[in-house]
Amino acid sequence: MDPNQRSASRAYQMHPARPAITDLFNLYLGRSARQKSEDSTREPPNKTQKRVTALNRELPPRNEQFLLDFEQLQSQFAEQDQLRAVTESVLISLVVQCSGHAPRAEFILFALRSLCSIGYINWDSFLPSLLSSVSSAEMSVTQGSQAVAAVSSINISQTGMLTSSSSIPNSSNFQSSNPASPLPSVHGIGSPAQSATEPSSCVTLSPVKPSDISCTGQQSSTRVSSSIRDNAISSLRQLCCKIILTGLEFSLKPVTHADIFYHMMNWLVNWDQRQQGIDESDGAKSWRPHKALIEWLHSCLDVIWLLVEEDKCRVPFYELLRSGLQFIENIPDDEALFTLILEIHRRRDMMAIHMQMLDQHLHCPTFGTHRFLSQTTPNITGEAVTNLRYSPITYPSVLGEPLHGEDLASSIQRGSLDWERALRCIKHALRTTPSPDWWKRVLLVAPCYRHQTQGSNPGAVFTYEMIGEATIERIVELLKLTNSEINCWQEWLVFSDIFFFLLKSGCIDFVDFVDKLVSRLTMGDHHILRTNHVTWLLAQIIRAELVMNALNSDSRKVETTRKILSFHREDRSSDPNNPQSILLDFISSCQNLRIWSLNTSTREYLNNEQLQKGKQIDEWWRQVSKGERMMDYMNLDDRSIGMFWVVSYTMAQPACDTVMNWLSSAGVSELVPGSNLQSNERLMVMRETSPLPISLLSGFSINLCLKVAFQMEDSLFSGQVVPSIAMVETYTRLLLIAPHSLFRSHFNHLAQRNPAILSKPGVTLLVLEILNYRLLPLYRYEGKSKALMYDVTKIVSALKGKRGDHRVFRLAENLCMNLILSLRDFFSVKREGKGPTEFTETLNRITIITLAIIIKTRGIAEAEHLLYLQTMLEQIMATSQHSWSEKTLRYFPALLRDSLIGRIDKRGLAIQAWQQAEAVVINQCTQLLSPSADPTYVMTYIGHSFPQHRQYLCAGAWILMHGHPENINSANLARVLREFSPEEVTANIYTMVDVLLHHIHMELQHGHSLQDLLLKACANLAFFIWTHELLPLDILLLALIDRDDDPHALRIVISLLDRQEIQQRVKLFCMNHGPPEHWLYSGMFKRVELQKALGNHLSWKDRYPTFFDDIAARLLPVFPLIIYRLIENDAIDPAERLLVMYSPFLAYHPLRFTFVRDTLAYFYGHLSGKLIVRILNVLDLNKIPFSESFPQHIGSTNPAMCPPPDYFATLLLSLVNNVIPPLNSNSKSGSMGDASNNLVRAPHNKSAATSQSGPTNPSEGQKAFYQIQDPGTYTQLVLETAVIELLSLPVSASQIVSSLIQIVVHIQPTLIQSSNGLHGAPNGVGQSSVLPTSPSGGSTDSMSASRSTPSVAGINSSNFVSRSGYTCQQLSCLLIQACGLLLAQLPPDFHIQLYVEAVRLIKESWWLTDGKRSLGELDSAVGYALLDPTWAAQDNTSTAIGNIVALLHSFFSNLPQQWLEGTHVIIKHLRPVTSVAMLRIAFRIVGPLLPRLANAHTLFNKTLSLLLNIMVDVFGRDSQPSAPVEASEIADLIDFLHHVVHYEGQGGPVQANSKPRPEVLALFGRALENLRPDVQHLLSHLKTDMNSSIYAATHTKLAQNPS
C-alpha cells in the first residue's frame, strides 16, 4: 500500500462520523458493544440451538426504517465524499464480522441495496476494497498456514491465470452448449492443483482494522478448529458473492470486473485450502465438503457466468481459457463446475487448432536445409538472440502454443505422439548426420553426468532416454542390413563417429544404454545379433572417460561388464581375409584385453580364449615391427590392413608411433634459400612421402585417430622441421573422416595447447593454408564458419596497417573472402555486434555481395536479423567508400537495394583529388621510378612522402609508362610496394583502376583508338601482375569488376583472363596440386617453390615454403564474382566462354555446388538455356543425384513444353525417400499402438515390414562427409539438387508450381488407383478409385462422379507406391510435406505463383461455389477438412482444400521469417470474402503464422490487420453476407484473436501476466469501428479505451499514458 493510501485509511478510521455510522449499523444488527468482538468467532447457530438471550434484548428497528435513519445521520456531516468512504469502510468490516450470522448477513445485503437505491455506493471502489479485505481476513483466519491459499489482494496484472501444463494432452472436443448458470444440488468435491496467483504489489485500499477481523485475544493464540475456520471462510465468500451479484446489476468499470474475475478464479482454483490446517493422518482423508462450501462455490460460478456472458461481455471468455481452472487435479463431482470446465475445454481446443498448422505432427527438420528456426523465447533480446540455441522441433501446448526446452522434454511420456515425433527426428539425424553443432543445440546431458552448476538449455528438446532409444533402433537397423549381406561398413563407420560424440558429450547414460541394448538384442530380436559389430562399436568408445568410470568405479560395473561381453559372436565371414572381417574376428579379444587392464574385480568374467587370442595380435606385431625394414603402408595386403586396425585397438601408442614414422621415413633436407634471399638460418624440411590413404585411416580406432591427430599437431605446429605436405594432408584426412569425434576449432585449440604457438614463424601461415585450401567445407558443416571468420578478421585487422607482412595478410584476407562467401545464413560483421567493421575495403564489398545472395536466394530467417540489417549496413559503410553500379543494384534484393541506392558515387571526387595531387605525385614518381633513379631515394620516399600521396604511387607509375612498361624502374617500385602496408597497396590498386579508366576516357576524347588503349592497358597491367609480380592479381580483378559501370572495365577483365600468362598459371596449378578430390590422391604431392607459387611481391623476404597456396588458387573466390558481373552486364557470351575455359580450374572451388545453386537462384529468370548448361557443367555431373530425365528437359528444343507430371512426382518421391524423416512407427517400447496410428493414420492391419522404417535405400549407401563436403549432408545434396533442377528447367515458375500443386491436390486418388491397379485393394482396405474433392456436410452426392477428383494424368504410377515403402495414405501425406519443403527452398518468384494458384483452386472448389449448399453444410465441410490439426489422409476422405492447406502449412514451416510477408498475397486474392466458410479457410491458412511472427511486430500487425479486414468483409456494418450469421458462430476465432495478441505481447507462450501491446490494441480499435455491433461487442476488450477494456484498464503503459 502506498503512503497516500495508508494515510487515507487512517483518516477514515479516525473520522468523527465513524462511531455514529457503526452504532447505527449495530443498532439494526442487534449487536451491543460487548457482542461485537465475539460475533466474529462465534460458531454460527444452527436449527437445533435456541438463542436463550433473545428475550432479554431489545428488538432492532424494522429494516424499512434504516434508510430514513441513515439519511438523517448523513445530513449531520458536510463532507459527503468522506462520509461515503467511511460508510463503505464500516460496511466492509461488518461484512467480514457478520458473514457467519445469517440474519445479520441478510440485513447487510438489505442495507447495501437500500444505499444503492439512493446512489450512495460507489461499486468501483467498494468491491475492490471488499475483496481485498476478505482476502486479508482469510489469511488471518488461516493463521499463516501456507499463506498462498488466500491472497491478500490480487494484482490484476500478475495473477489469475495458471500457466498451462504442457504435458497435459488436448482433451476431446466435448459437444456442450453454454448454459446459463445452473445451480443443482451438489456432491463431494476433490482437490485442485496449485495456484499460480501471486500476492499483489499494490494492495487495494483496505479500510478494516486488524482488530475488526482477528479473533479474540484468547483464540488468536490457539489453533482455530478446521470446521470453524472452513465455515467462517465459506460464509464470508458466500456473502461476498451475493454482494458482487448485486454490484453486477450496475455498470462497473473494466478494472473492477477484472478484479472480481481474478478473485473468483483464485477462490475456485484454491477451493480446497481447508486441508492446510488439518493433520494429514486424521483429517484429510475423511473430510467431506459441507453445504456452505458448495453454496459459495455455486455463487462464485454465478458471478463468473455473469462476467463472461456474451450479452454483456464484462470479461472475455478467453480469460477462462488461460485461467488454468480446467487443470485442477480433482474436478469435483459437481455438475455446475463440471459444465463450466467442459465448456472451457471445448472452446480451448477449438482455439488451439488455429494456433497449429495442419499436419503439424509431420513437420520435422529434414537436415536437407541448414535453417532451423528458433522459437520465440521470452525475455531474450538483442545480441543474445543471435546466439540462441535453435530448437529443431516444438511440441504444441494445450493452448496450441509451440513449446520447447529442457523441462518440457523431460515431461514427454514414452509412447506418446510427441515422443514418437522426437524419435522420428533423432533417427533421421542418426541416418543423415547433421553437424555436431546441431546435436549440441538440441541434446540434454544425462542427469547422471550433469554438474550442479549446469543451467538449463532453452533449445534442448531431446532427453537421454530418447537418444538412447533412437541409438538402439539405429544399431538394430544396421544389424539387419548387415545380416542381409549388404555391405554397410561405411554406415557403421559414420555411426560410430556420432556414437562416440554422443557418449563423450554425456547425452547417453552408458550403463542404462547397455542394459537396454541387451534387453533389445537378447529378448526383442534375439536372432538379429550374428556378427561382432556391436562389440566393435563398444570397443570404439571404451576409452572414453564416462565409459571408463562406468567399468571402474560404478556400483554396477560387474553387471555392465558382463553385459558388454555378452555381445560377442564368432565371426563367420564369407571373406576371412577382408580387413573388416579380420577386425571383427579379433575385436572381442581387443575388448577383453582392455577390460582386463581396467579392473581386477571383473577379470574372472573375461573370456580366456579371447585373452589367449590376443597373443596372436602381439605375435603379428612383433614380426612386422622387427628388423630394419618397416611396413610399406602404400602396399599393405588386406590381412595386414586388418591386423593393423586390430593393433589400433590394443596398442594405440605403438600404432601412433608407427604412423608418425611412416610419414617421416623419407628423412629431411635443407631448404635452399631463393636467389633473392641471403640467409644464414638453416631451414630443414621433411622429405615428401605419400599421405596415408583414406581406406587405411578409416579403420583406425577413434582412440588412435585422436592420438595421431594430437601428435601430428605437435609435429606440424611445434616441430623444428617444416612438415611434409603428406603429413599435412594426412592430418586433414583424419579430420574429414571423423567430423564429430575429431573436429577442433584450430585457433582456439592451438592457443589452449600453447598460447605462443601462433607467433612462431610459419605456424600462422600453415594454419591459414590448411583452413583455406582443405577445411573450409568442414568448418561450414560444423557451423563454425562465422566463429572462424571473426578469428581471421582479428589477424587481418592487426596486419592491414603493418608494413611488409603481405603474405600472411593476403592469405588471411583470401580465407576471409572464402568464408564470407560460404555463409548461407545471416551473420553479424562483428562478434561483439557494435562499431564499424574491422574488415578491409575488399572484405566490406564482398560482405555486401554475400548479403545480397543470402537475402535473395535463402531469405533472412529471424526477425531480429531483419532489425539488425540496417545497423549492419551502417557498420560496413562506415569504412567503405564504394557505391555499386545500377546494373549490380538491379539484381540486389529490394531490402538491400533501397538502403544502398542513395549512396553517392565518390569516384568523381577521387579523380578530382588525383588531379590536384597529380603534379606532386608525377614529380615524386619521376625521381623514384626513372630507369636511372638514385637507389637511396627509395628510403627517402618511404620515410618522408605524405600518406595521401602514397596512395597514388601505382597511378603515377601507370602515367609514366606511356604504354611502355619498360620505361620505369621496376626494382624500386617493387621495393616501395613491399614496404607499404597491405591496406596501402589495396588503396593503390583501387585508385590506379579509377585513374586508368579515367585516362582511357581522356585519351578517347583526344582521338585515340579504343582497341589500342585497351591493348596498352592490358600490357601495363600484365607488367604489374605477371612480368614483375608487383601487385596481387585477385584484388586487381575485384577492383576492375567493381567498376562495371565503366564500359571498359569488364573488357579489360576479360582480356586479362584470356591472356596466356594467367591460363598457364592455372594449368600449372592444376598439374601440381593433384586432383580436386585431394583426399583420394594416393601419389606424392609436389611442393612448388615459394617464389613460383606466390610471386615476388608476396614471397619477398619469406623463406617458409608453401603447401597448397598458389597465386592461381587465390582466384577461386573471385572467379564466381566475375561471372556475376558479366551476367549483370548482359555479357553472356564472355561468361559462357570463361566458364568453359576455366571449368577444370573451378573443380578446385571448395563450394562449387553452392556456387551453382546460388547463381541459378540469384539470376532466376535472366539466364539463357545455354548459359544454364554451362553453369551446370561446373559440377561433377556424375556425382550429383539428378533425375534420370533431367538432361532431356534442359536440352529440350521446345522450351514451352513443361515436363510431364511423372517427372515432378519422381522428384517429390526422391525427397520423401531421402530427405523427409521416415515414419518409423514400430518402436518396441511403450504402448505404441495408438501413437503410431495417430502419427500416420495408417490402416490397423498394415504389415510390420512396411511400417517399420519407411523407405531405406540400402543400395544408395550412406556417404561419408568427405564425399559430400559441399553441401555437407546427403539429404541436403538431394534437396538442393531438386532445387537446381527446377531452377534450370526452361519453363516458367507458374508452370512448375502449377504442375506440383496438381500432383498434391489429386495425390490420393492417383496413388490409390495405381495401388489398386497393382494389387487390387491393398492391405485389405476397400478403396474407391475416385475421391470427393471435399466433403459436403453429410450429403450423399459428394461421392458422385461429377464431384470426383480425377487422378493426375501423366504419372506413371504403377510402381510409385511400391518404390516408397509406404502405404497410399502415408505416402500422400509425405509427398505434400516434400512439396512444401521444396517450394520453400525456391526464390520468391515461385512463392507468388503458389499463393495465386492455391487461392484459385480454393475459390473454384465446387462446394464453396454451389449456391444450394446451406450454411450448416458449408461449416461442416470446412470443419471436416481443416479443424483437426493432425488430419492427414486417413480413411481415404482427403479433400482438395485440406491438401492445399496442408501444402501451404508445410511450405510456411520451412520459410524464413523475411519471406513470410509474401503470404499476404493469399488474403488479398481471397477477398472479398462473403461467407463464414471462406473466412474460416483464411484464418486456418494464415492464423498459425501469427505465433511465428511474435517477435516481428510490424509483420505481425500487417498480418493481423489483413485477418481483421476479411472479418469486416463478412461481419462489417455494411457487408451483405450470403446468409445471416450469428456472431457466436465465430466464438473460436474471437478466442484465437485474444490468445494470439497475448502471445505476441509476451513474445512467447502466454503467461499469467501477459498483456497485449498497446499498438495491437489500437489496431483492433480501428478495425472494430467497421464491424457489426454484435461482433464488435465480443472484441470490445481489445482496444485502448480504459472505460470499456479490461486489458487497457490494467495495462501499465496505457494507465500511465491514458491518451
Side-chain angles (χ1 to χ4, degrees), residues 945-1225:
S945 59
F946 293 126
Q948 65 264 38
H949 292 152
R950 283 207 292 268
Q951 67 174 317
Y952 297 120
L953 174 62
C954 288
W958 176 274
I959 298 294
L960 290 180
M961 283 180 187
H962 301 299
H964 298 283
E966 65 279 2
N967 288 351
I968 66 169
N969 188 328
S970 59
N972 278 5
L973 180 58
R975 195 172 158 203
V976 172
L977 285 172
R978 288 179 196 135
E979 291 289 351
F980 276 4
S981 70
E983 198 67 322
E984 281 181 315
V985 174
T986 304
N988 258 278
I989 293 171
Y990 284 126
T991 310
M992 180 181 76
V993 165
D994 284 348
V995 170
L996 171 166
L997 294 170
H998 173 70
H999 192 69
I1000 290 175
H1001 284 290
M1002 299 296 293
E1003 295 287 296
L1004 279 173
Q1005 288 172 11
H1006 293 129
H1008 291 92
S1009 152
L1010 176 61
Q1011 196 68 27
D1012 290 347
L1013 290 171
L1014 290 176
L1015 279 170
K1016 280 183 183 177
C1018 286
N1020 286 0
L1021 289 174
F1023 164 85
F1024 274 110
I1025 307 163
W1026 302 122
T1027 315
H1028 294 285
E1029 297 167 333
L1030 300 172
L1031 296 173
L1033 171 63
D1034 51 341
I1035 307 299
L1036 178 64
L1037 288 175
L1038 283 169
L1040 281 164
I1041 64 170
D1042 275 342
R1043 287 293 178 222
D1044 62 316
D1045 46 356
D1046 187 292
H1048 310 126
L1050 288 178
R1051 290 183 66 177
I1052 293 172
V1053 170
I1054 293 163
S1055 301
L1056 286 175
L1057 290 173
D1058 280 341
R1059 287 179 73 97
Q1060 278 304 308
E1061 295 102 325
I1062 189 169
Q1063 291 184 33
Q1064 199 59 38
R1065 285 303 291 258
V1066 166
K1067 275 183 189 163
L1068 276 170
F1069 170 79
C1070 296
M1071 279 169 52
N1072 292 332
H1073 284 75
E1077 293 182 328
H1078 59 86
W1079 57 91
L1080 298 178
Y1081 184 56
S1082 56
M1084 272 192 215
F1085 283 91
K1086 187 176 172 188
R1087 196 190 295 274
V1088 182
E1089 191 186 316
L1090 174 61
Q1091 199 269 332
K1092 284 183 181 171
L1094 296 180
N1096 291 324
H1097 177 67
L1098 294 181
S1099 60
W1100 192 27
K1101 289 180 181 174
D1102 224 303
R1103 290 192 63 202
Y1104 196 78
T1106 59
F1107 292 80
F1108 315 114
D1109 201 6
D1110 192 278
I1111 202 95
R1114 300 283 179 89
L1115 291 181
L1116 285 169
V1118 176
F1119 195 86
L1121 298 178
I1122 295 172
I1123 300 297
Y1124 270 47
R1125 285 291 180 279
L1126 292 173
I1127 296 171
E1128 287 162 4
N1129 286 273
D1130 303 317
I1132 303 302
D1133 289 341
E1136 285 180 19
R1137 195 160 45 75
L1138 290 177
L1139 281 168
V1140 172
M1141 193 186 303
Y1142 285 93
S1143 191
F1145 173 62
L1146 282 173
Y1148 288 86
H1149 196 293
L1151 304 167
R1152 59 175 166 158
F1153 184 87
T1154 303
F1155 159 63
V1156 169
R1157 185 250 188 234
D1158 287 349
T1159 306
L1160 294 173
Y1162 190 78
F1163 294 107
Y1164 183 72
H1166 299 276
L1167 300 176
S1168 66
K1170 191 177 171 191
L1171 181 57
I1172 286 172
V1173 172
R1174 294 279 183 247
I1175 292 169
L1176 289 174
N1177 280 324
V1178 168
L1179 301 172
D1180 187 347
L1181 296 174
N1182 296 326
K1183 294 185 176 168
I1184 309 296
F1186 285 119
S1187 304
E1188 209 174 314
S1189 60
F1190 174 62
Q1192 300 160 25
H1193 299 309
I1194 54 165
S1196 166
T1197 51
N1198 182 5
M1201 272 287 287
C1202 191
D1206 191 49
Y1207 166 76
F1208 294 104
T1210 306
L1211 205 60
L1212 294 180
L1213 185 63
S1214 166
L1215 298 187
V1216 167
N1217 285 345
N1218 296 295
V1219 180
I1220 301 288
L1223 296 178
N1224 289 358
S1225 56

Side-chain angles (χ1 to χ4, degrees), residues 339-404:
T339 302
L340 177 63
I341 288 175
L342 278 185
E343 181 64 8
I344 292 172
H345 273 296
R346 186 185 72 80
R347 285 186 61 164
R348 185 208 64 203
D349 290 346
M350 288 295 289
M351 178 196 77
I353 282 163
H354 295 288
M355 294 286 285
Q356 298 173 55
M357 295 194 175
L358 202 62
D359 287 356
Q360 183 168 298
H361 64 301
L362 296 178
H363 297 177
C364 265
T366 62
F367 315 119
T369 172
H370 66 286
R371 186 185 304 113
F372 299 110
L373 294 168
S374 74
Q375 262 325 114
T376 49
T377 304
N379 309 325
I380 297 182
T381 52
E383 295 153 39
V385 174
T386 55
N387 304 313
L388 198 61
R389 291 180 175 274
Y390 292 172
S391 177
I393 63 174
T394 57
Y395 306 109
S397 77
V398 287
L399 291 173
E401 302 161 328
L403 302 174
H404 62 76

Side-chain angles (χ1 to χ4, degrees), residues 197 253 333 451 584 623 741 825 934 1080 1267 1546 1595:
T197 54
K253 287 181 180 175
D333 185 12
H451 304 300
L584 293 173
Q623 284 180 4
S741 315
D825 51 359
D934 179 2
L1080 298 178
Q1267 295 171 296
Q1546 181 66 35
H1595 203 299

Side-chain angles (χ1 to χ4, degrees), residues 521-823:
L521 295 182
T522 55
M523 299 169 198
D525 292 305
H526 58 273
H527 59 279
I528 203 171
L529 187 61
R530 305 175 200 164
T531 61
N532 261 338
H533 283 85
V534 174
T535 301
W536 165 80
L537 191 64
L538 294 175
Q540 284 279 43
I541 49 96
I542 203 163
R543 287 173 190 268
E545 186 184 351
L546 298 176
V547 177
M548 304 257 276
N549 292 343
L551 300 179
N552 241 332
S553 49
D554 193 277
S555 58
R556 296 160 293 175
K557 60 189 174 188
V558 173
E559 185 189 344
T560 304
T561 304
R562 290 176 67 178
K563 285 178 176 174
I564 288 175
L565 295 171
S566 73
F567 294 121
H568 166 66
R569 295 291 182 275
E570 287 302 324
D571 193 66
R572 302 185 189 82
S573 171
S574 55
D575 182 5
N577 284 326
N578 177 316
Q580 290 103 327
S581 302
I582 290 166
L583 174 59
L584 293 173
D585 185 29
F586 280 93
I587 199 68
S588 294
S589 175
C590 301
Q591 192 186 60
N592 274 267
L593 289 167
R594 179 67 194 146
I595 293 172
W596 189 88
S597 67
L598 262 181
N599 199 323
T600 51
S601 62
T602 53
R603 287 182 183 176
E604 60 185 283
Y605 303 106
L606 298 177
N607 184 324
N608 277 323
E609 188 184 325
Q610 292 300 328
L611 290 173
Q612 292 304 315
K613 199 171 179 177
K615 291 180 180 175
Q616 294 179 39
I617 307 171
D618 292 348
E619 185 57 35
W620 179 84
W621 183 247
R622 260 199 304 278
Q623 284 180 4
V624 298
S625 56
K626 70 183 178 186
E628 295 301 313
R629 291 187 69 249
M630 85 168 35
M631 283 187 295
D632 177 4
Y633 61 96
M634 292 308 294
N635 294 304
L636 290 178
D637 59 16
D638 281 357
R639 176 165 176 75
S640 300
I641 290 173
M643 287 308 292
F644 191 77
W645 287 357
V646 172
V647 167
S648 77
Y649 287 85
T650 56
M651 294 178 275
Q653 193 54 54
C656 178
D657 296 339
T658 303
V659 170
M660 297 304 291
N661 290 338
W662 280 343
L663 290 168
S664 56
S665 58
V668 295
S669 62
E670 186 174 352
L671 184 72
V672 180
S675 55
N676 59 337
L677 284 176
Q678 303 301 318
S679 173
N680 299 324
E681 188 185 343
R682 301 182 68 193
L683 196 62
M684 306 306 292
V685 181
M686 204 180 279
R687 286 199 180 99
E688 283 306 322
T689 55
S690 297
L692 266 67
I694 282 262
S695 55
L696 175 61
L697 290 171
S698 63
F700 286 4
S701 71
I702 291 176
N703 182 42
L704 175 60
C705 291
L706 286 163
K707 278 184 181 298
V708 170
F710 204 74
Q711 209 155 319
M712 275 187 180
E713 284 168 353
D714 282 341
S715 186
L716 294 174
F717 307 120
S718 304
Q720 301 304 308
V721 178
V722 176
S724 62
I725 296 177
M727 182 173 284
V728 178
E729 175 62 32
T730 305
Y731 174 69
T732 60
R733 287 179 186 182
L734 272 175
L735 298 182
L736 291 175
I737 60 171
H740 287 76
S741 315
L742 295 186
F743 178 76
R744 62 276 323 272
S745 199
H746 280 82
F747 285 109
N748 295 343
H749 174 70
L750 294 175
Q752 281 171 3
R753 291 193 62 179
N754 177 1
I757 200 166
L758 288 169
S759 58
K760 282 186 63 180
V763 171
T764 303
L765 280 169
L766 176 54
V767 173
L768 290 171
E769 280 200 43
I770 289 173
L771 294 171
N772 200 28
Y773 300 113
R774 287 296 185 263
L775 298 182
L776 264 177
L778 177 66
Y779 269 77
R780 187 175 75 169
Y781 170 70
E782 301 278 346
K784 294 288 185 278
S785 290
K786 291 177 194 172
L788 179 58
M789 179 185 77
Y790 299 136
D791 289 337
V792 180
T793 303
K794 281 183 188 169
I795 296 173
V796 169
S797 179
L799 293 178
K800 67 181 177 183
K802 193 177 170 188
R803 286 186 172 184
D805 273 343
H806 296 283
R807 181 181 172 189
V808 181
F809 174 85
R810 291 294 170 203
L811 179 57
E813 187 179 50
N814 195 261
L815 170 58
C816 230
M817 284 159 64
N818 270 316
L819 282 167
I820 292 168
L821 289 165
S822 77
L823 295 173

Side-chain angles (χ1 to χ4, degrees), residues 154 158-162 196-197 261-262 265-266 319 322-324 1552:
I154 306 292
Q158 291 184 342
T159 64
M161 292 144 282
L162 286 173
T197 54
F261 179 82
Y262 298 133
M265 294 311 298
N266 186 44
E319 288 305 309
R322 68 165 178 158
S323 67

